[in-house]
Amino acid sequence: MTIDYRGARVLVTGASAGIGAQFARELARRGADLVLVARRADRLEALAAELKGVEVTVLPCDLTAPGAVEGLAAELRRRDLKITGLVNNAGFGTYGPFAEEDVERLRTEIALDISAVVELSKTFLDELVEAKGVLVNVASLAAYHPVPKMAVYGAAKAFVLSFTEALWSEHRKAGLKVLALSPGATSTEFFDVAGEEASAGARRVPPEVVVETALRTLDRRNPPPSIAVGRANRLMISMGRLLNRRQAAVVMGAVTAT
């Protein structure tokens, strides 16, 4: 069963590049109108110009700013635009020993990776439920185990995974499709921010693979609460469950030390 997105309006955060931009392209190809949110207005305008045959609303916004989500919702109400789908993709990671991290940078990371996801999900939840739409929160493979040198990022994505799976359970009989999407290393600008070391040498997949996995999963008659991108990554998660917490932390410490 393929979801018919014609007549839908999906808000995509972090839409200026990478996975967010690819979500916008693929959803537009399937007929969805879009609300594109990110800080870089020029990138959003360029993407909007690329998308044909659908209505695209560009709303530049720094989601870490106080009152940003409230202001975004007010602007959509002012324009009489109802949201039927939400892709919480915006986020970034920091890399390095926790003791050496800048506390303001960590606050911003938590604000974008956790707080904005919760606030956006709550703000638009009634509209999503009413429309029997979709809610996708982008987590990460880092959500499944402790990640030394990315302690805050891994913990933030673990939060997103747990939070989203709980929402899936709460709404699975209401017609709202909720999915936590966990990519591994992806060819995006993520590593421009976090640093090349954060990839730990993993092979990167294109954003197209990540988005295809998400939309194909949502098309299922009874989608799971979460999906990791790639069979090898799903196998790694399954094998990781055989380790106790001590072992997992030691193993991941060895991986990130390389």
Side-chain angles (χ1 to χ4, degrees):
M1 180 185 69
T2 301
I3 296 175
D4 185 357
Y5 288 93
R6 292 172 297 178
R9 179 174 284 106
V10 183
L11 190 159
V12 182
T13 71
S16 59
I19 293 171
Q22 186 58 31
F23 261 113
R25 293 187 183 100
E26 188 58 29
L27 287 166
R29 190 184 71 79
R30 293 188 176 205
D33 294 332
L34 297 164
V35 177
L36 305 181
V37 175
R39 291 176 303 152
R40 295 175 290 189
D42 57 337
R43 292 278 195 96
L44 294 180
E45 294 289 357
L47 178 58
E50 174 190 330
L51 304 176
K52 307 298 183 183
V54 297
E55 179 183 320
V56 182
T57 303
V58 169
L59 294 178
C61 178
D62 180 357
L63 291 170
T64 68
V69 174
E70 183 180 355
L72 185 66
E75 180 61 20
L76 290 171
R77 287 194 299 270
R78 188 185 71 80
R79 300 188 188 200
D80 196 26
L81 297 178
K82 279 202 167 186
I83 299 302
T84 67
L86 173 61
V87 178
N88 279 313
N89 165 73
F92 74 93
T94 54
Y95 181 88
F98 178 72
E100 298 174 10
E101 295 279 15
D102 177 75
V103 70
E104 288 302 324
R105 187 68 168 161
L106 294 178
R107 283 196 185 104
T108 302
E109 187 176 5
I110 292 167
L112 187 58
D113 292 3
I114 296 179
S115 300
V117 171
V118 172
E119 192 172 355
L120 283 160
S121 299
K122 175 60 177 172
T123 297
F124 296 108
L125 186 60
D126 288 346
E127 293 177 33
L128 300 179
V129 171
E130 181 182 357
K132 299 186 187 303
V134 298
L135 170 61
V136 179
N137 291 333
V138 178
S140 167
L141 286 185
Y144 290 89
H145 40 244
V147 189
K149 294 189 179 178
M150 298 187 78
V152 171
Y153 179 75
K157 291 306 183 178
F159 176 95
V160 172
L161 177 63
S162 176
F163 169 70
T164 308
E165 290 183 331
L167 294 188
W168 174 89
S169 178
E170 290 181 12
H171 296 93
R172 66 191 183 91
K173 295 181 180 179
L176 173 64
K177 293 193 172 185
V178 180
L179 180 69
L181 174 67
S182 292
T186 308
S187 298
T188 69
E189 296 175 357
F190 176 88
F191 297 104
D192 295 342
V193 177
E196 291 296 322
E197 302 93 338
S199 69
R203 184 179 68 87
R204 301 179 194 179
V205 303
E208 290 84 349
V209 172
V210 176
V211 173
E212 179 188 5
T213 298
L215 296 182
R216 187 176 64 244
T217 302
L218 289 169
D219 282 341
R220 296 183 194 176
R221 183 176 299 277
N222 185 24
S226 57
I227 187 74
V229 178
R231 291 182 180 178
N233 289 329
R234 291 193 285 272
L235 177 61
M236 183 182 70
I237 290 169
S238 296
M239 293 176 64
R241 291 188 175 118
L242 301 176
L243 302 176
N244 62 38
R245 300 303 292 176
R246 178 190 179 96
Q247 291 167 331
V250 170
V251 168
M252 289 308 300
V255 170
T256 58
T258 58

